Amino acid sequence: MHWLVAIIIIYATCMGYLLHALEGTAWFDFFSELNMSLGTLALPVMLVRFIWRFFRPSVAMPDYISPRKKQMIALIHEVFYLVIFLVLISGFLMLTKGFYLFWILYIPQPVTTPEVNDFFFKIHRIGCITLGIFMIAHIGAVFNYLRQGKKEILKKMT
């Protein structure tokens, strides 16, 4: 589940920023619909992942991580989840028109008040920047552990 969510979120985040460069091109609508479809798919997947972690045995963090650092890591991961949910929900509520989920099922615009859409667009933009920072820090931390030869940290990414 970790890797499915990671792939969707990394793709959607990168493509969300690339959409600005594609605006006005023939590719914009295609990638915009794909991004919205993946974001819509990511929300239930993320909910399942979030709930599932309460029912599966947790993989213990390696002993070389201090108890204080383990608490900090746990807090950061909770905030990471919060930011992901914020981005996914605000992305849906900012829509100014409906879209077709993977070009099959029409999803109508959930909120039709332009001021509310604009508010959630701003929340989404701030959330995406925050999420990008979290992703870079998360990936950097993993690579740091791997660089130190501490590969058992990968067991936590399930």
Side-chain angles (χ1 to χ4, degrees), residues 50-135:
F50 183 76
I51 293 167
W52 176 246
R53 70 195 191 122
F54 295 109
F55 295 99
R56 69 174 172 85
S58 182
V59 177
M61 284 194 214
D63 291 335
Y64 55 78
I65 299 175
S66 72
R68 184 165 174 85
K69 193 170 184 181
K70 288 177 184 177
Q71 289 175 333
M72 184 60 71
I73 290 169
L75 174 64
I76 290 169
H77 277 89
E78 295 304 317
V79 174
F80 203 176
Y81 276 111
L82 179 66
V83 171
I84 290 169
F85 281 119
L86 179 78
V87 166
L88 294 172
I89 293 167
S90 65
F92 189 63
L93 295 175
M94 73 177 213
L95 295 177
T96 57
K97 63 179 183 167
F99 69 97
Y100 283 90
L101 183 68
F102 296 108
W103 303 276
I104 300 169
L105 176 67
Y106 184 73
I107 307 292
Q109 175 186 4
V111 178
T112 58
T113 307
E115 295 82 11
V116 175
N117 298 123
D118 187 52
F119 169 77
F120 282 110
F121 175 78
K122 290 173 185 166
I123 296 297
H124 187 71
R125 178 170 275 173
I126 292 166
C128 286
I129 292 167
T130 306
L131 182 57
I133 292 167
F134 268 91
M135 282 190 310

Side-chain angles (χ1 to χ4, degrees), residues 18-25 28:
L18 287 173
L19 279 171
H20 295 290
L22 293 175
E23 216 163 337
T25 70
F28 180 81

Side-chain angles (χ1 to χ4, degrees), residues 133-147:
I133 292 167
F134 268 91
M135 282 190 310
I136 290 167
H138 181 66
I139 293 167
V142 169
F143 278 124
N144 185 47
Y145 281 114
L146 293 176
R147 183 184 55 81

